Amino acid sequence: MNANLLTVLRDRSYRKLFTAQVIALLGTGMLTVALGLLAFELAGENAGAVVGTALTIKMVAYVGLAPIIAAAVDRLPRKTVMIGADVVRALMALGLPFVTEVWQIYVLIFLLQSASATFTPTFQSTIPSILTDEGDYTKALSLSRLAYDLEAIVSPIVAAALLTVISYSNLFAATVIGFLGSATLVLSTAIPPRAVGPVAMSFWRRTIEGVRIFARTPSLRFLMLMNVVVASGTALVLVNSVVYIKSVFALGDSALAVAYAAYGIGSLLVALNTPRLVDRLGVARTMRAGAVVIVAGLAAALVFTIAIGAGIAWWPLLVVWAVLGAGTSLINTPSARLLLAASDEGNRTLVYTAQFSLSHACFLIGYPVAGWLGAQSLAGAVLALLVGGAIAAMVGRRVEVRAESLALR
C-alpha cells in the first residue's frame, strides 16, 4: 500500500471512523456470502432470483427511503444518527440465522438496509468535515475504496476458512459483531457539528434538494451515467455468482467465496494506483476509463457464458470478475471528488444522500435484470447488462466532453 495514503490516519477522529468502516464492512462481507448460501438452501436453483429480489428490496430502501430519512435527520447530531443506524443493523442481522421462509429474508433485508440508507450517507458526508484539506480528503477516498476492496478479498477468504468448521448460518454472527463494533468506535469519536445555514429549508425541500443539485450540475449528471455503468457490472457479480458456481459448475461453498474475492482483487489492484491515475488523467477521464473496462468485462462475460455449453472450465470467470472489479474501482474511487466540488458544508449530506439514492436506483434496475432474466437465461441477462452499460458509457462520454464546467479533469 502507498505509505503516503496512510498519513491521514494520523488524524485521531478519522482513524476511528475509518476503523469503524473496516469492521462494519468485514461483517457485511460475511453477510454477502451467507445470504447467497441461505438463498440456495431455501430456493435451490432459483437462488439467483431470490438474491436478485433481496437486493432489489435493498435498493428500494436505498432509493425510496434515503432522501426522506436524510431530510428527517438532517438537523440531528451525526454521531447519534450513525450509532442508531448501526444498532438497528445489528438487530436485523441477528434475526437472519432464524429465517425459514424466503419472505422472511425480504423483510429483514428491508429493515437492515433502511438503516444502512441512514448510516452510509451520513458517514460519507462527515469525512470532509474532519479532513478539510482536499489532498487529505482525496487520500481518504482512496483508503475508503481500499477498505471496500480488502473487505471483498478478506471476508470471502475468512468465510471460506470458517465454512470448513462451521455452518454458514454462524457467519451472520460476524455481521452483528461488525455493526456493534462500528457503533462503539463512532461513539468514541469527536465529530464536528452540522453546519446549519441561516435559513432552514422545509422538510420536503430538504428531501429533494440533493437531486435538484444533481439535475443542474453537469459534472453530477456525468456521475449519474457512470453509476449506470457500475451497476451493470456489479449486478452481474453480486446476483449471479452463486448461480455460476453452485448451479452451472456444481462447485462447493468455498468456490463462491473465491469468486467474490476475484472481484475484490481486481478492484484493489486498481485502487492502489488510483491517486496516481487521477493526478495524470484527472477525475473524469479516470472514470471514463473505468467505464470502458466494465463494458469490456461484460463483453467477456457474455463470451464466457455462451462458451459454457462447449465445456469451458470455470476459472476464466475469476478473470472476468477481476476485470469488472478493476473498472468499478476506476469509477467509484474518485467519484466523491465531484460530490465535494458540487456541494458545501451546509448541503453536503443532502448531496451525498442524493448520490447514494440515485446510484442505487441504477441497481434497482440492474439487480432484477441479473436475477429475474438470469433465471431464464444467463446469456440473456449478461447481454442486457452489456447493452445498458455500453449506452450509458457512450452518453457519459458526450456529456463529459460538452460540460465545460466539469473542472476536475
Side-chain angles (χ1 to χ4, degrees), residues 58-142:
K58 169 183 174 179
M59 294 305 106
V60 170
Y62 282 6
V63 175
L65 292 184
I68 297 174
I69 293 173
V73 304
D74 191 46
R75 297 296 183 263
L76 297 178
R78 289 182 284 198
K79 178 185 291 190
T80 301
V81 172
M82 288 188 283
I83 292 173
D86 267 336
V87 171
V88 172
R89 294 196 292 183
L91 291 174
M92 294 306 103
L94 190 62
L96 283 169
F98 304 102
V99 163
T100 57
E101 301 290 341
V102 169
W103 68 266
Q104 296 169 350
I105 294 179
Y106 299 155
V107 171
L108 290 176
I109 288 296
F110 177 79
L111 295 174
L112 188 152
Q113 300 304 340
S114 296
S116 292
T118 306
F119 179 92
T120 302
T122 305
F123 174 88
Q124 292 173 339
S125 65
T126 299
I127 302 305
S129 300
I130 294 174
L131 300 175
T132 55
D133 179 78
E134 187 176 88
D136 287 341
Y137 180 59
T138 302
K139 294 175 185 177
L141 293 178
S142 295

Side-chain angles (χ1 to χ4, degrees), residues 217-223 283-285 287-288 338 396 399-409:
T217 308
S219 61
L220 298 186
R221 292 199 297 268
F222 165 74
L223 173 57
V283 172
R285 290 190 179 93
M287 293 171 68
R288 288 205 325 262
L338 300 181
V399 169
E400 191 276 329
V401 169
R402 291 180 178 180
E404 295 180 355
S405 61
L406 189 60
L408 295 175
R409 294 200 281 184

